[in-house]
Structures are given as C-alpha cells and as structure tokens.
Amino acid sequence: MNEIKITNKNGVLTVSSLQVAKDFGKRHDHIIRDIENLIDSFSENPILGFQKSDENSSNLTPQNLGVKNFFIENTYKTKGNNKTYKCYDITRDGFSLLVMGFTGKKALEWKIKYIEAFNSMERQLININSDIERIVNKVISEKIETIISKVIDEKTELIIKVLDERIELIIDKALDKKFKVFAKAMDKKFRIFAKETEKNSKRIIIESVSETAKALVTYFDVLIKILNNLY
C-alpha cells in the first residue's frame, strides 16, 4: 500500500496533484485539467477564489488561504530532461471537490484513505501545536517566576539592608543613652560609696584608738595596784 504524503505548509495541509493522479490511476494532465476547470468555475463565482503561490509556497498560511483557495499552483521537475512542469498543492477541501466525481470501488477506497490521512495529519498538527503551546507557556511561566523571584530577592535584600542600618542606628543610640545613664548612676553610686567608706574609716580608727586607750587605762590601773601592794 502506497503511503499518502500529506504536507504541512505553515499549518495548511496539502497533497500534491501528482500523488492524487498516481493513487487514483489518472493521468496527471487530466487531473490538472479537472483542477483548472474547477478554478474557472471559482472565478465565475464572487464568493470563491483562487490563489497562486511561489515555488516554495512560503506565503501560504491558514489566515491568507481561507476556504475559498483550494488549489495552490506549484511546479516540479523531472529527472530525465530537467524540465519544469505545472502541478498543484491541493488542500483538504480542494481534494474533496476534485474527487467528488471519481466513481468506482477503488476510487471510494482511496477517498477513505485520503480522509484518514488528512485526519491523522490534523491530529499530529494539533498535538504539535499543543506541545508547542505547553512548552511556550512553561518557558514563559518559568521566566516570569525567575524575574519575580529575582525582583523579590533584590527588594528583600534592600529591605534587610535598610532594616539592618536602622536597627544598628537605634541600638547605637539606645546603648549610648543607656551607657550615659549607667555611667551617671555608677558615678553617683561611687561617690556615695566613697563617702560611706571615708565615714566608716574614720569611725573604725576612732573606735580602734578608743579601745586602745581603754586597754592602756586598764593596764595602768593594774600596774598601780601591783605597785601599791609592794610598798
């Protein structure tokens, strides 16, 4: 079984008129004739239209294609004489119009195969677009998170720096104030202590001299009594 080659051109699915001719057992010049008869019918209807493309069909997009442009003129070369011949890239809708008049069991089988091939390619395209969208969303989300995280980190670092400076300044002022109060209190305490020490020292000296004097008096009294007894 021949593989049906569906081509994705900028999101537009097409099949070559050469393959259609081969698969349906038609002469290619007859396929070209049928396509151009349809194109002539299009030109007579203001609702429909026809689009020519360059060799690479680089300008083909779903936006500029639309439902009214079913056949995109193209060219191909043969290996033998290297001459250029006309062919058409046929969209899904164009294919449906073209093969509408093809009859017979084989034609019906190929119609079904082409429908399945277009459906399969469309599913792949949807999956690819979904994957691309998911990847893009993920990348954008990660990028946004990275930017937000960086901004938060920078802001947090700045806030912490400002807070550190403020706290350090507050602590310095508080310590300076506390130290002055403490120094003043200590100076006061020291002065009181010095006065008390001085007062106590005098008292202790006086008490010591008084005790010493009393002891001397007692000693002399005893000595006098001893001397009186002797004489």
Side-chain angles (χ1 to χ4, degrees), residues 184-204:
K184 187 175 180 181
M186 288 299 296
D187 182 64
K188 185 176 180 181
K189 290 286 186 182
F190 179 77
R191 290 176 183 275
I192 293 171
F193 175 76
K195 287 181 179 179
E196 290 294 330
T197 302
E198 183 181 4
K199 189 187 295 182
N200 290 335
S201 297
K202 290 179 180 179
R203 181 176 53 79
I204 292 169

Side-chain angles (χ1 to χ4, degrees), residues 93-110:
D93 291 332
F95 171 80
S96 298
L97 284 174
L98 177 64
V99 302
M100 193 178 293
F102 295 176
T103 59
K105 183 179 179 181
K106 285 288 184 182
L108 178 60
E109 289 177 357
W110 276 111

Side-chain angles (χ1 to χ4, degrees), residues 10 53-61:
N10 300 327
S53 75
D54 56 22
E55 187 174 350
N56 297 322
S57 298
S58 59
N59 64 333
L60 182 62
T61 65

Side-chain angles (χ1 to χ4, degrees), residues 26-48:
K26 305 281 186 180
R27 287 175 48 177
H28 187 246
D29 60 331
H30 288 178
I31 293 292
I32 295 293
R33 178 199 62 198
D34 293 342
I35 289 174
E36 292 182 343
N37 285 339
L38 288 169
I39 292 170
D40 290 338
S41 298
F42 290 171
S43 63
E44 296 172 3
N45 192 322
I47 299 176
L48 303 175

Side-chain angles (χ1 to χ4, degrees), residues 147-198:
I147 293 171
I148 291 174
S149 178
K150 185 178 180 181
V151 171
I152 290 174
D153 288 343
E154 289 176 354
K155 292 293 184 183
T156 302
E157 186 177 349
L158 179 61
I159 290 170
I160 290 173
K161 184 179 179 182
V162 171
L163 285 175
D164 283 345
E165 291 175 352
R166 290 294 180 88
I167 291 171
E168 186 176 351
L169 181 61
I170 291 169
I171 291 173
D172 286 345
K173 287 184 176 179
L175 287 176
D176 184 58
K177 186 176 179 180
K178 291 288 184 183
F179 178 76
K180 287 180 179 179
V181 172
F182 174 76
K184 187 175 180 181
M186 288 299 296
D187 182 64
K188 185 176 180 181
K189 290 286 186 182
F190 179 77
R191 290 176 183 275
I192 293 171
F193 175 76
K195 287 181 179 179
E196 290 294 330
T197 302
E198 183 181 4

Side-chain angles (χ1 to χ4, degrees), residues 6 13 92 117-127:
I6 305 296
L13 302 182
R92 179 174 187 150
F118 272 109
N119 286 341
S120 175
M121 193 65 180
E122 282 180 353
R123 285 193 296 270
Q124 291 180 36
L125 188 59
I126 290 172
N127 291 335

